[in-house]
């Protein structure tokens, strides 16, 4: 398995924009590592398991890092610890029908506090929450993977669902 925990870093003299480290997403400061934007949380995941995972297969399954432990438990037969939010993606690796998350939730303390909720291909983001910001931006990741066009005003029902999710997380 090859993956990353987060998007590209911009500190320490690195220049993710020059390297295209987050492409096709934005990876510059505020949008890469420690950000809930796609450049900060969407990372490659490559798995090889000769004779088990079909060679050359590609998946559009959306998972999060907390799904890795349940997957490894499924592979090894280990008992799943109680209280995890993860869903094993072993079925996806085996080319079978895969259970999906109803939503994914992230919260990071950087940049004044941030939250993100992904429901299907829609993702809501709130930044500066520790500084009093209550406003969520909303992006359709199929049409706008770089998160440039906030469509929250046109989708109040999605924002209402996001607020419901955030209130229980």
């Amino acid at each position: 398995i090859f993956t990353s925990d987060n998007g590209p870093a911009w500190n320490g003299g690195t220049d993710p924009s020059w390297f295209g480290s987050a492409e096709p997403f934005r990876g510059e400061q505020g949008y890469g590592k420690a950000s809930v934007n796609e450049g900060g949380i969407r990372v490659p995941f490559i798995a090889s398991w000769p004779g088990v995972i079909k060679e050359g297969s590609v998946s559009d399954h959306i998972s999060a890092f907390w799904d890795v432990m349940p997957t490894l438990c499924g592979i090894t037969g280990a008992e799943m610890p109680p209280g995890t939010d993860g869903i094993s993606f072993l079925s996806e690796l085996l080319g079978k029908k895969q259970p999906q998350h109803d939503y994914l939730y992230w919260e990071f303390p950087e940049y004044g506090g941030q939250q993100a909720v992904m429901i299907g291909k829609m993702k809501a983001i709130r930044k500066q929450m520790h500084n009093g910001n209550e406003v969520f931006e909303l992006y359709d990741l199929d049409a706008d993977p770089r998160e440039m066009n906030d469509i929250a005003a046109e989708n109040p029902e999605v924002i209402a669902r996001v607020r419901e999710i955030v209130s229980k997380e």
Side-chain angles (χ1 to χ4, degrees):
I1 293 174
F2 171 85
T3 190
S4 175
D5 70 332
N6 216 264
W10 50 265
N11 56 354
T14 62
D15 188 348
S17 296
W18 187 84
F19 284 105
S21 302
E23 292 297 325
F25 315 109
R26 296 186 289 174
E28 63 271 14
Q29 183 175 358
Y31 294 93
K33 188 170 279 304
S35 164
V36 295
N37 289 88
E38 289 298 277
I41 59 175
R42 191 185 294 205
V43 296
F45 185 94
I46 302 168
S48 175
W49 191 356
V52 179
I53 298 174
K54 183 181 174 194
E55 188 175 327
S57 60
V58 176
S59 170
D60 62 358
H61 174 68
I62 296 171
S63 64
F65 208 71
W66 46 92
D67 295 332
V68 173
M69 182 179 56
T71 304
L72 295 175
C73 286
I75 290 169
T76 63
E79 187 173 327
M80 178 71 136
T84 181
D85 291 334
I87 297 175
S88 172
F89 52 81
L90 179 57
S91 294
E92 187 70 20
L93 295 175
L94 301 176
K96 299 178 181 175
K97 183 156 176 59
Q98 173 64 46
Q100 304 292 317
H101 286 278
D102 293 332
Y103 63 88
L104 291 170
Y105 174 83
W106 295 266
E107 186 170 328
F108 292 169
E110 288 81 3
Y111 304 115
Q114 311 165 71
Q115 292 174 311
V117 177
M118 179 184 263
I119 305 169
K121 298 295 181 169
M122 301 290 269
K123 188 170 103 185
I125 296 173
R126 177 168 69 142
K127 294 185 177 180
Q128 295 294 326
M129 61 188 244
H130 298 312
N131 298 324
N133 181 33
E134 294 292 328
V135 177
F136 280 93
E137 301 167 4
L138 184 66
Y139 301 97
D140 176 342
L141 297 179
D142 277 347
D144 183 19
R146 290 178 54 88
E147 299 166 313
M148 305 288 280
N149 182 32
D150 179 6
I151 57 172
E154 296 88 35
N155 295 278
E157 71 289 349
V158 177
I159 296 300
R161 173 76 176 119
V162 165
R163 290 188 183 285
E164 178 185 313
I165 291 166
V166 166
S167 72
K168 66 180 183 181
E169 287 295 332

